[in-house]
Amino acid sequence: MDAHHPVEGARAPNGAPSEVKVYDIEFTASGSEYFRIWIVNLLLIVLTLGLYLPWAKVRKLKYFYSNTWLDGHALDFHGEPRKMLRGTLLVGVFLAVYSQAGQVSPWAALVAAIAFVAVWPLLFRASMRFRLSNTSWRGMRFRFTGDAGGAYLAMLPPLAMFLIPFSIIGVAAEGMTEKAAGDFVGRFAALTLLAFLVAFPYFFWQIKRYQHGNYAYGQMKAELRATIGGFYGVFLKTLGVALLPVAAAGAVIGLMVAAGMGKGFLIVLIIPLILAVMLYGNIVPKAFAVSRLQNLVWGRTGNRYFKFSSDLAFSPYAKLQLKNFLLIGISGGFYWPFAVVANRAAQIEAVSLRTKIELDALAGAAQRGESDAAGDAAADLFGLDVGM
Amino acid sequence: MSTLAVDYFDGRSSRPQRAALSVQDGRLRVERADAAPLEVPLREVRWPERTRHGARIAQLPDGAAVQALDVAGWDAWVAANAAPDSLVVKAQQSWRGTLVACAALVVLVVAGYLWGLPVAARAIVAFIPATVDALAGDQALQTIDGRWLKPSKLPAADQERLRAAFAEGVRKTYGAKAPPWRLEFRSGKIGPNAFALPGGTMIVTDELVAMVASDDTVLGVLGHEMGHVAHRHGMRQLVQVSALGAVLSVAFGDYGTFITTVPLVIASMGYSRDAEREADEESVRFMRAAGISPLAMVGFFEGVKKYRKDKGMPDGPGIAFSSHPADDARIEYFRRAAGR
């Protein structure tokens, strides 16, 4: 519970009725309409050499938000494009410097990696604050209550573990002979990567706890009650799903060789087999991970008064991804906005809200939008979103 | 004076209140059932854009908001009383506007790919100091040397002869305007090969020298590599591919990265083939200045063909995925340059 006092006219949660109500979240955007929005946005972005980007982004967000409904009212976005333009430029310059540092020297790359690790948690927090405080439902803004310390605790270990070792390798290998450097780099990189993979579900759990545990609306603050075991479960199963077809393809080829089939026949078969495995590898494991993680994370987000649940089924979701993938390819990219809307619809409509309090009874201090638009731009550039 | 029924939110609680909107003298008036009426200047209201699907929520200056009860009624009322559609909304909401935007976008993207980006990349690279090329080239050579290349076994006399002949050719072709260059011989796992790194370092493998067995052909190949150096193709390609990647991620941003990879590869291969053609032109210029027949380069392509056949290597991928133009087209180009 947050420390905000109930405002006049709203009922405190304690006095609320205890019967449980379930609300489905609805998504009413249409692919053809988003296509029209997308194409006009793209044209304006190209004409202005990218300066229109924040206006395009706000339009897109407002379209998606105004089509996301809970109990008869839709979400709304309040970000101001002019402020977001500054953020976009700032983060663009930072990223450009970071990505080119490696071209100059290993030392520059190391310095850039350390700077990136130091700044990224702050940017992440800023992006969450910006996005949440500029999102409203029934006129009232959401909030993100995470502090900078929490962001560092959740994100410093994985970032440091992933980015810094590779830069140190670059610096350390500089003075070695070719062979020694090769051996050293190979072993060190393999070890680091293995350790990172083993720890990845733990890191992911920490980040999601920081994220979902700091969402707030009115006097309600969410918690993420998922345990670490759930995360390891999803990642292990994803690994299995990813490796399954490789094993199956190997078995098929092995059987055919054992059955004494001709070399020519094998060569004919091998190309479709490789294509099928590639297609599978690009779609199915990701669809599995996305659907299971959404169910895990959103299904455990809530507090004693309300709780979300999510039932995004893997198999239809994977079929949707396959369909999107093929149609985007066939249409030369023009199906893309339709695919985005279909994907969002599947994800959002899987979520529902169970609540013991009246949705009318929530209240909080008046919130103004955070002006920290750099964070939002960073979130976009790094491909990060609220997760839904 | 017409009014519009809406849900009003005060921004401090999630309880909707019924209200009626009206406009008077450039001010929006919000009549609420259980509170005093509210008035705000019309131009301080952030009106939503008209769409076919979705809610209509107007943001009022003090953190309050109003949401439409009946979307069609809202659109008609707002258009008549408050805010007409912007040009962007008109374009988005008509298929004709969308088609015009679509056509304009295709024209702009094609023109940008064919002319805009190459010209811009040339201009940007002109601003990058040559020391950056040199740093990048040294870095790349260190990496490649460690992994793929071994010292050359070509006799020092042969190396010196080729280097001197090449220096003479460069002097005749470029005169005082010759960019800095360095010629290195290596052997290793990459077969008969020659390439240029940013900053002017050119690598030729012993296997290439042995395969073509003609100084003229080696010099023709080096003239081609010198073309890459003179045009700073490495840096230009870096700028072009970064820009393409940025454009693709903006257009197809939030739906996974794999979908943008294929067009990025195809588009950058197109630029790479353009660079190869440009380098072939430079090679011809070099050979003419050095008094070598462009036919010498035909020998190179025949040598490569034979080498591939002997090693049982398959032909390369389809042309769209290839970094170089088709060999036949390049042979034809050099034959023509030789006047045959």
Side-chain angles (χ1 to χ4, degrees), chain B residues 210-276:
Chain B
M211 180 188 83
V212 299
S214 141
D215 280 8
D216 282 357
T217 305
V218 174
L219 290 173
V221 170
L222 287 174
H224 171 98
E225 299 309 331
M226 194 65 191
H228 287 314
V229 171
H231 286 284
R232 295 174 81 182
H233 279 151
M235 297 306 278
R236 264 164 60 186
Q237 185 73 348
L238 191 71
V239 171
Q240 286 167 342
V241 172
S242 310
L244 276 176
V247 169
L248 281 167
S249 77
V250 164
F252 302 106
D254 55 2
Y255 199 70
T257 48
F258 183 76
I259 272 161
T260 60
T261 318
V262 175
L264 183 63
V265 168
I266 291 180
S268 49
M269 288 302 176
Y271 282 137
S272 169
R273 289 194 297 275
D274 291 345
E276 294 304 327

Side-chain angles (χ1 to χ4, degrees), chain B:
Chain B
M1 186 191 70
S2 70
T3 60
L4 178 71
V6 293
D7 270 341
Y8 169 86
F9 303 102
D10 62 9
R12 292 182 296 276
S13 90
S14 61
R15 196 168 65 85
Q17 302 171 46
R18 280 295 145 89
L21 300 185
S22 58
V23 172
Q24 249 177 342
D25 307 326
R27 293 176 76 77
L28 179 74
R29 196 177 155 86
V30 187
E31 308 254 15
R32 291 170 289 176
D34 48 3
L38 196 81
E39 276 197 20
V40 291
L42 207 48
R43 59 189 157 70
E44 287 179 23
V45 178
R46 198 170 166 193
W47 296 99
E49 291 182 340
R50 184 169 61 88
T51 50
R52 195 181 297 272
H53 300 263
R56 298 289 184 277
I57 301 170
Q59 298 164 5
L60 305 183
D62 61 345
V66 288
Q67 179 168 345
L69 297 172
D70 158 34
V71 166
W74 167 291
D75 286 342
W77 185 89
V78 169
N81 294 285
D85 281 347
S86 69
L87 214 64
V88 173
V89 172
K90 279 183 190 150
Q92 278 167 351
Q93 290 308 321
S94 87
W95 277 105
R96 195 200 293 169
T98 310
L99 271 178
V100 171
C102 215
L105 187 66
V106 169
V107 169
L108 275 174
V109 165
V110 170
Y113 177 76
L114 291 180
W115 301 291
L117 192 49
V119 168
R122 216 182 270 261
I124 291 169
V125 166
F127 275 102
I128 301 175
T131 47
V132 174
D133 296 39
L135 271 171
D138 288 349
Q139 189 81 11
L141 184 59
Q142 269 185 15
T143 314
I144 307 168
D145 257 346
R147 201 157 299 166
W148 303 103
L149 299 175
K150 291 194 191 87
S152 170
K153 292 190 196 74
L154 201 66
D158 289 349
Q159 292 191 17
E160 272 323 299
R161 193 183 68 247
L162 283 166
R163 203 172 266 126
F166 182 61
E168 180 63 13
V170 170
R171 196 183 56 73
K172 283 180 179 159
T173 316
Y174 295 94
K177 277 192 249 166
W181 60 273
R182 190 161 63 120
L183 177 56
E184 297 278 347
F185 294 90
R186 294 284 193 279
S187 73
K189 300 175 190 166
I190 56 173
N193 214 326
F195 55 91
L197 295 169
T201 303
M202 286 167 278
I203 313 284
V204 181
T205 62
D206 295 359
E207 290 80 357
L208 186 142
V209 177
M211 180 188 83
V212 299
S214 141
D215 280 8
D216 282 357
T217 305
V218 174
L219 290 173
V221 170
L222 287 174
H224 171 98
E225 299 309 331
M226 194 65 191
H228 287 314
V229 171
H231 286 284
R232 295 174 81 182
H233 279 151
M235 297 306 278
R236 264 164 60 186
Q237 185 73 348
L238 191 71
V239 171
Q240 286 167 342
V241 172
S242 310
L244 276 176
V247 169
L248 281 167
S249 77
V250 164
F252 302 106
D254 55 2
Y255 199 70
T257 48
F258 183 76
I259 272 161
T260 60
T261 318
V262 175
L264 183 63
V265 168
I266 291 180
S268 49
M269 288 302 176
Y271 282 137
S272 169
R273 289 194 297 275
D274 291 345
E276 294 304 327
R277 278 186 212 105
E278 213 168 38
D280 279 350
E281 284 167 27
E282 288 294 292
S283 167
V284 167
R285 202 159 79 85
F286 175 92
M287 286 187 284
R288 281 193 182 133
I292 302 168
S293 163
L295 279 183
M297 279 299 277
V298 176
F300 167 74
F301 290 109
E302 280 164 358
V304 170
K305 200 179 238 173
K306 189 171 174 304
Y307 177 86
R308 277 202 193 132
K309 211 172 156 191
D310 291 350
K311 294 262 166 179
M313 281 153 77
D315 288 340
I319 190 76
F321 284 98
S322 177
S323 62
H324 289 62
D327 281 358
D328 290 343
R330 295 178 73 189
I331 291 173
E332 181 60 26
Y333 174 76
F334 284 106
R335 273 193 208 284
R336 229 174 252 198
R340 291 195 210 175

Side-chain angles (χ1 to χ4, degrees), chain A residues 365-387:
Chain A
Q367 291 284 317
R368 284 268 161 189
E370 306 281 338
S371 61
D372 200 356
D376 196 60
D380 234 34
L381 282 165
F382 293 113
L384 184 147
D385 213 326
V386 184

Side-chain angles (χ1 to χ4, degrees), chain A residues 18 53 65 67 83 98 102 154 159 235 270 282 308-309 330 369-370 376:
Chain A
S18 60
L53 213 57
Y65 277 10
N67 280 291
K83 284 181 189 161
Y98 170 74
L159 280 173
F235 279 98
I270 205 127
N282 270 299
F308 286 97
S309 66
I330 291 168
E370 306 281 338
D376 196 60

